[in-house]
Amino acid sequence: MSTTQKSSQEVVHEDIEAVIQLLSRVYPMSEALIQEFYANIIALNLNKNEVLVEEGCICHYMYFIKKGALMGRATHNGKQIVTYISVENEFVSSISGLFGDNVSKEAIVAVEDVSLLAMHYDTLQRLFLSHFDLNFLFRVMVEQYYKDAQERTYIVRVGNAKERYLYFIKNKPGYLERLPLECVASLLDIKPLTLIKIQKQHALSLKKDEDTEALYRKIEEHIKVHETFRKQDISLSTLASELSISPNKLSSVLNHYYKLKFVDFINTYRVNYIKNLMASPEAIHHFTIEALAGNAGFASRSAFYTAFKKLVGMSPIQYARNIKSERLV
């Protein structure tokens, strides 16, 4: 093992305590097991690109990554393939060589400078015999490993390149920015140039989403401040002109963001405006519903009634009666 080792006495107490706290959130650790951790954990440091475990060799330790990143790397038909990438606060070992019974099918390599804590498998085996809490914790760790591995394998085998990329950035946020692109591309079974292309396309789509969000806020603010919906002659073209955008752009935002046609979009504001007025006893007392509709921008009684029932689910008269009944209760 080409590493710099320290005795357990030299391991920083806080580092082991951090591991204990992490595991205790999964299942409470007995004081006896905690003391075994303090007595049997060693510290290891690797430089970037240094090999922790050689492919085809026996892995004798379970590792905890305190700082940095490790990757699993296997060789197939003369090609090196990244099988996993793990970073801080994750446990790493050779699953194929678990307990030292078989050789590891993959090498474990430092992607960055790495600080590790490690416990020998012989110690783990001894502790398994006398500590239920360690058995439970180890089972949870292995279950999570296989769950992640199964999900990763599924997306790599079934998903297209874009789906694999989106899966990775969702489940491993920040990894792509810090890790070598070639490693991530190999893990996702994507050519590096393809990964770069997908990354740029995704960044562009996010930029478009940000632009759409900004335009949405601009539309909302403009309509609320100027109450343009109250103009009976308001049209897609006139509103687009007021916003200094093209009618096609405005129509696209309404269709894709609001899921509404222009008429329904404007009528939503008009109906909400009327509903707010109808909630005021003074407004209902001094104005007819039709007068309120005209004040809100509706050009005719029939257009108002049709829009109101479509958006509210009842006629304006029924809605007014409901409001009146609620006041009397």
Side-chain angles (χ1 to χ4, degrees):
M1 183 184 302
S2 56
T3 58
T4 303
Q5 292 197 14
K6 301 177 184 179
S7 67
S8 59
Q9 288 79 13
E10 293 175 296
V11 177
V12 179
H13 185 278
E14 289 78 6
D15 293 338
I16 300 178
E17 186 177 6
V19 177
I20 293 171
Q21 290 178 353
L22 180 67
L23 293 174
S24 295
R25 287 199 288 268
V26 178
Y27 190 85
M29 295 176 64
S30 66
E31 183 60 31
L33 181 58
I34 290 174
Q35 293 307 315
E36 291 280 8
F37 268 52
Y38 283 125
N40 292 285
I41 286 179
I42 63 173
L44 313 170
N45 293 306
L46 282 76
N47 297 321
K48 181 179 179 180
N49 297 323
E50 194 171 359
V51 177
L52 177 63
V53 177
E54 295 280 0
E55 184 177 353
C57 293
I58 293 177
C59 178
H60 294 285
Y61 289 86
M62 172 66 71
Y63 301 97
F64 175 79
I65 305 176
K66 185 177 70 173
K67 180 181 179 182
L70 293 173
M71 67 176 175
R73 188 178 67 194
T75 304
H76 180 69
N77 294 333
K79 180 182 177 182
Q80 291 187 331
I81 302 171
V82 177
T83 55
Y84 67 83
I85 300 175
S86 297
V87 298
E88 294 87 359
N89 297 324
E90 295 184 357
F91 291 90
V92 174
S93 190
S94 170
I95 296 300
S96 59
L98 199 62
F99 304 128
D101 294 336
N102 298 297
V103 299
S104 176
K105 294 181 180 179
E106 57 200 358
I108 303 177
V109 184
V111 184
E112 303 171 339
D113 291 346
V114 182
S115 296
L116 302 168
L117 299 178
M119 181 177 285
H120 199 282
Y121 274 134
D122 290 346
T123 302
L124 281 172
Q125 289 281 40
R126 176 176 62 82
L127 296 178
F128 283 146
L129 297 175
S130 55
H131 294 276
F132 168 81
D133 40 354
L134 182 60
N135 283 273
F136 185 88
L137 289 167
F138 195 79
R139 190 195 79 187
V140 172
M141 289 166 52
V142 173
E143 285 177 350
Q144 186 61 48
Y145 171 86
Y146 275 108
K147 178 181 178 182
D148 293 343
Q150 184 180 43
E151 186 176 4
R152 183 172 65 248
T153 302
Y154 177 82
I155 195 67
V156 170
R157 288 178 59 87
V158 177
N160 58 37
K162 182 179 179 181
E163 289 171 334
R164 284 175 247 162
Y165 170 82
L166 294 176
Y167 163 83
F168 184 78
I169 62 174
K170 176 183 177 182
N171 291 277
K172 304 292 184 180
Y175 277 33
L176 195 58
E177 290 74 19
R178 65 180 281 188
L179 300 174
L181 184 136
E182 294 78 9
C183 293
V184 177
S186 178
L187 177 68
L188 299 178
D189 194 22
I190 301 173
K191 293 180 180 179
L193 289 179
T194 301
L195 179 56
I196 292 174
K197 181 180 178 181
I198 294 174
Q199 189 177 12
K200 290 180 178 179
Q201 290 174 341
H202 182 65
L204 183 61
S205 67
L206 291 179
K207 181 65 169 62
K208 289 181 178 179
D209 289 343
E210 291 175 359
D211 292 344
T212 300
E213 180 70 23
L215 182 54
Y216 154 75
R217 291 194 297 268
K218 181 179 180 181
I219 293 170
E220 291 276 317
E221 182 178 359
H222 179 84
I223 291 180
K224 289 177 180 178
V225 171
H226 299 283
E227 294 189 334
T228 50
F229 59 87
R230 296 179 64 185
K231 301 176 182 177
Q232 292 187 2
D233 59 348
I234 187 69
S235 67
L236 180 70
S237 297
T238 55
L239 180 57
S241 178
E242 291 178 11
L243 294 167
S244 299
I245 61 175
S246 69
N248 286 339
K249 182 67 173 179
L250 177 58
S251 178
S252 177
V253 172
L254 298 182
N255 289 332
H256 293 92
Y257 196 95
Y258 290 94
K259 309 297 182 183
L260 292 172
K261 295 181 178 179
F262 177 76
V263 172
D264 291 331
F265 173 74
I266 292 297
N267 283 345
T268 298
Y269 278 94
R270 289 171 172 168
V271 168
N272 287 336
Y273 177 79
I274 293 170
K275 286 169 63 178
N276 288 333
L277 290 176
M278 292 171 71
S280 169
E282 293 78 10
I284 293 295
H285 180 74
H286 291 95
F287 298 95
T288 63
I289 294 178
E290 286 78 4
L292 295 177
N295 191 42
F298 284 103
S300 67
R301 182 178 186 276
S302 61
F304 162 59
Y305 270 73
T306 299
F308 194 98
K309 191 167 185 178
K310 178 180 180 180
L311 296 171
V312 181
M314 64 182 72
S315 71
I317 299 297
Q318 290 174 309
Y319 185 81
R321 287 172 179 169
N322 287 347
I323 291 178
K324 186 176 181 180
S325 299
E326 290 175 358
R327 291 198 191 103
L328 295 176
V329 174

